[in-house]
Every structure is written in structure tokens, then in C-alpha cells.
Amino acid sequence: MVNKKEESFKSALGHTPAKEKSGHIGKASVARIQRIRKQKIDEQKLIEGIINGNKTDLSKAITYIESNASKHDQLVQKIIEACLPKANKSIRIGITGVPGVGKSTFIEAFGMYLTQLGKKVAVLAVDPTSSISKGSILGDKTRMEELVKNPNAFIRPTASGSSLGGVARKTRESVILCEAAGYDVILIETVGVGQSETIVHSMTDFFLLLKLAGAGDELQGIKRGIIEMADAIIINKADGNNKKAAQKAKVEFNRALHLYPEKKSQWKPKVKLCSALHNEGIEEVWKMLSTYFAATKENEFFYLNRKEQNKFWLLQSIDDQLKRNFYKSEVIKKALEEQLEKIDNNSTTPFEAANYLLGLKANLDK
């Protein structure tokens, strides 16, 4: 029996008491769902839907891209090959910052502004995956409640899995599909900051770092690494009582940026103030980005950078494929368990075990 306290608690985040199994879900419904799942995928229809900007087909295709099932590999390859001629016509912006800096709020405000200019915006938001439960919240659509309703915007939250830097393993391919679907601006939101953010830096044209003033991380931010990669630093939440601290932080970051060598793009990183919550500074951020893209296209760094990124992702794809093929082998799986047991018993070393397993795989491939 449900008590009154539970009945009065209507929050979606609250505890919901167990309910009786619905009488509407019978054997016929289960069988119908199973039939739908077993239906053959019409790949041509799916590709046409993506190119025509159908969000449902785009979402389906990204789901296949993210799948680890080998049965989807051939389908994904055909989709990407069909979409490639339509890709590479967008600008790709990486957005990172510590948790709580307001990335989702900034992306929503920025995305809404861009759609008002007639742009089509795709957001690939990567949520961290728990190393314990292996689950992710995937709440970006909830946090961007206005942008998600915008017909010219597409938001895709993705679990990071074990990918370096919180960037999903297949984000690169998802970018290609979004471009083929006609999205002008691709925003890639990462989990947080750190040296591993080089992954998102390697797939975007502009790297935007969001910072907070008065959070005690100004001096930390001056360290090399993340600042060195940033093309611009946006100090968010520069409003109310925090505005004075934000202005001070802007001066400090500007001083710090003078310590770094000139970028290959010949672009001098900028520091801007912004209040995404109050839509202040959003227009200035876009003007800065427009200036950057005009300058880098004129000196051809934009195109050179894209070519270098393609080379990087060729090598990355080879690494990923070799890793997948290695662990997919049933013989290797069994041998790996044996070697792990030997390591526990101190009868071998990790290096000897690795050499044995790699040698075993080489013999299997002969």
C-alpha cells in the first residue's frame, strides 16, 4: 500500500513506489517489439533520411556507429562512405571546462543565438561513464531544454565509455553524419579538463575553454597543457557580485597567454567575459570565432589543420581496429585469462605475458 508521503512526492527524481505490471503489455506486444528489432535495416532509406536532415534517421545511424556489435560494422561503413561527400562543410568547435563551469548553459545560449542567425547546430555532448556501474546519466537534453526543442538544433548525449578524455570512441564518425545532415556548426562538449583533452582538440577547428573566476583555479589554469591548446578562454558566470572577480581573472589570463609561443595558426588566443545565464557576451564570442575562421582560411591554416587531423585519425583508427581484432579472438580471450592468473601467482610478469599474447596473435594471423 502506498502511503500519503509517497503519493505527495511528485518529483521525477524522487523515489517511485513499485507498480503492478501493466495489463496492456502482453505476449502480442512483446512479439511485435521483437519483430521490429529483427527487421532488416533499409540502409539506403537511412542514408537518404540523414542527407535530408531527418533527426530520427540521424540518431539511429549514430546509435549503430556507437554499437560495439560486429554485425553493424559493414552497415556503418556504408553509411559513412555515403555521407563523406556531403561532409566537411561545417565548423567544428570543441568546448571544455571543469564540472560546474556552466558548459551546458553556455552551449544552449550559444546554440540558440546561432539558430537565430539561420545556422543549424549539432551538439555532441559526452557524459562521463561510471567506472563502477558502467552507467551514464546522459542528462544534457534535460539541461538544454530550450535548445532541444529548436527545429534547427540536434543534441546527442553520448556515454564516454573508456575513451580517452571523455570523448566517445565514435565521435569522429558522428561529426561526419551531422555534417551530411546539413548542420553548419558542430559543438563537441567534453567531460572536463586535462591533458587527455588533446583528443577533442584533434577533431575540432577551434578549442574553447570555459573558466570560472573566484573558484581558486586561476593559477592552476595558467599551467601549460590545457591553456596551451585553447584558442580562446571564456570566463563564464561574469555577472552580479562575480563580475569584478571575472574582470580580474581576465587580466590574469591575458598576462599568462603572453608566456606561450605563437600558434601555427598565427592566432593570438583571446580572453572574453560571458554570462550564459543572462545571454551576455554570446554575440562577442561568435564575432571572435568568425574573425578566427576568416583569418585561418585566408592563411590556409584551417585547411592544413583539417588534413593533419585526417592523418591523425587514420593512425587512431588503425590502433582502434588492431585493439578490437586482438580482444575479439576467442583464443586470445582464453589465453589472457591464463596469463592474468599467472600474474596473480607471480609466475610471470606483465611484460612477459604481453609478449606471449602478442606472439600468439601474430601466429594466429599467419
Side-chain angles (χ1 to χ4, degrees):
M1 183 175 178
V2 179
N3 60 43
K4 291 182 179 179
K5 186 177 180 181
E6 288 177 325
E7 281 184 329
S8 64
F9 196 90
K10 296 182 180 180
S11 170
L13 298 177
H15 170 71
T16 303
K19 294 182 179 180
E20 294 278 337
K21 187 176 180 180
S22 173
H24 297 290
I25 303 177
K27 292 181 179 180
S29 297
V30 172
R32 183 175 63 84
I33 293 170
Q34 289 175 339
R35 281 198 305 273
I36 291 171
R37 288 179 176 176
K38 289 180 180 179
Q39 283 178 358
K40 188 177 179 181
I41 302 163
D42 189 338
E43 58 191 48
Q44 193 56 43
K45 186 179 178 182
L46 191 63
I47 291 166
E48 288 174 3
I50 293 167
I51 294 172
N52 291 329
N54 186 294
K55 291 184 182 180
T56 302
D57 288 332
L58 177 58
S59 294
K60 284 180 182 177
I62 291 176
T63 298
Y64 292 129
I65 280 176
E66 292 170 354
S67 171
N68 289 321
S70 56
K71 64 180 180 180
H72 294 142
D73 288 350
Q74 192 174 1
L75 170 66
V76 167
Q77 189 63 31
K78 288 181 180 178
I79 292 172
I80 292 173
E81 286 176 0
C83 289
L84 266 175
K86 303 285 184 179
N88 294 309
K89 296 175 183 177
S90 75
I91 56 173
R92 307 163 187 170
I93 303 168
I95 299 175
T96 191
V98 295
V101 76
K103 292 190 293 293
S104 296
T105 306
F106 174 82
I107 289 171
E108 179 170 51
F110 189 51
M112 292 295 289
Y113 174 77
L114 292 177
T115 57
Q116 288 171 10
L117 296 179
K119 305 286 185 184
K120 289 187 70 178
V121 181
V123 180
L124 301 176
V126 186
D127 264 15
T129 295
S130 168
S131 59
I132 300 172
S133 66
K134 308 301 179 185
S136 294
I137 296 175
L138 302 177
D140 294 277
K141 283 193 173 184
T142 304
R143 293 195 293 267
M144 304 178 199
E145 56 183 13
E146 291 300 321
L147 188 61
V148 75
K149 294 182 286 188
N150 194 309
N152 288 324
F154 172 77
I155 302 175
R156 175 70 183 206
T158 303
S160 65
S162 58
S163 299
L164 183 63
V167 181
R169 184 170 56 89
K170 298 292 186 178
T171 300
R172 183 72 174 80
E173 286 83 357
S174 298
V175 168
I176 292 170
L177 265 60
C178 289
E179 290 177 336
Y183 289 95
D184 311 296
V185 183
I186 313 293
L187 305 177
I188 304 176
E189 177 194 358
T190 66
V191 173
V193 295
Q195 292 181 341
S196 56
E197 296 304 285
T198 51
I199 294 295
V200 75
H201 183 260
S202 69
M203 68 171 75
T204 54
D205 306 308
F206 193 95
F207 194 61
L208 194 62
L209 172 62
L210 296 184
K211 299 292 286 184
L212 285 174
D217 69 340
E218 286 90 345
L219 292 176
Q220 291 293 322
I222 293 172
K223 289 183 179 179
R224 304 187 79 89
I226 191 72
I227 297 287
E228 201 167 21
M229 288 188 292
D231 294 303
I233 298 172
I234 306 298
I235 301 170
N236 195 22
K237 301 184 181 181
D239 49 49
N241 297 330
N242 204 38
K243 198 162 188 177
K244 190 174 180 179
Q247 290 170 340
K248 183 181 177 182
K250 180 181 178 180
V251 173
E252 291 176 354
F253 280 118
N254 268 320
R255 286 174 182 165
L257 289 172
H258 286 299
L259 302 174
Y260 296 101
E262 186 180 43
K263 288 178 174 286
K264 291 181 181 178
S265 61
Q266 298 175 11
W267 168 261
K268 293 181 179 179
K270 306 291 188 288
V271 183
K272 299 285 184 181
L273 299 182
C274 171
S275 173
L277 187 63
H278 300 288
N279 276 305
E280 296 174 359
I282 300 297
E283 184 178 354
E284 286 72 18
V285 171
W286 176 242
K287 285 179 180 178
M288 175 190 64
L289 284 161
S290 299
T291 302
Y292 171 85
F293 289 120
T296 53
K297 285 181 179 179
E298 186 178 347
N299 65 23
E300 298 191 345
F301 172 79
F302 181 90
Y303 309 104
L304 178 64
N305 187 45
R306 285 279 179 101
K307 289 179 180 179
E308 290 300 316
Q309 288 180 359
N310 288 336
K311 292 175 185 176
F312 174 86
W313 282 100
L314 165 64
L315 299 176
Q316 191 71 31
S317 298
I318 292 171
D319 289 345
D320 289 343
Q321 191 62 46
L322 287 172
K323 189 176 178 181
R324 286 184 68 189
N325 288 340
F326 181 82
Y327 288 109
K328 191 166 61 175
S329 168
E330 293 299 326
V331 175
I332 293 296
K333 286 179 184 178
K334 185 178 178 182
L336 178 59
E337 290 296 325
E338 293 171 354
Q339 292 301 311
L340 288 170
E341 190 174 340
K342 285 185 177 181
I343 290 172
D344 286 340
N345 297 331
N346 291 320
S347 58
T348 188
T349 67
F351 309 104
E352 289 174 347
N355 286 332
Y356 170 78
L357 292 168
L358 290 169
L360 179 60
K361 186 66 170 71
N363 289 328
L364 290 171
D365 291 339
K366 285 181 180 178

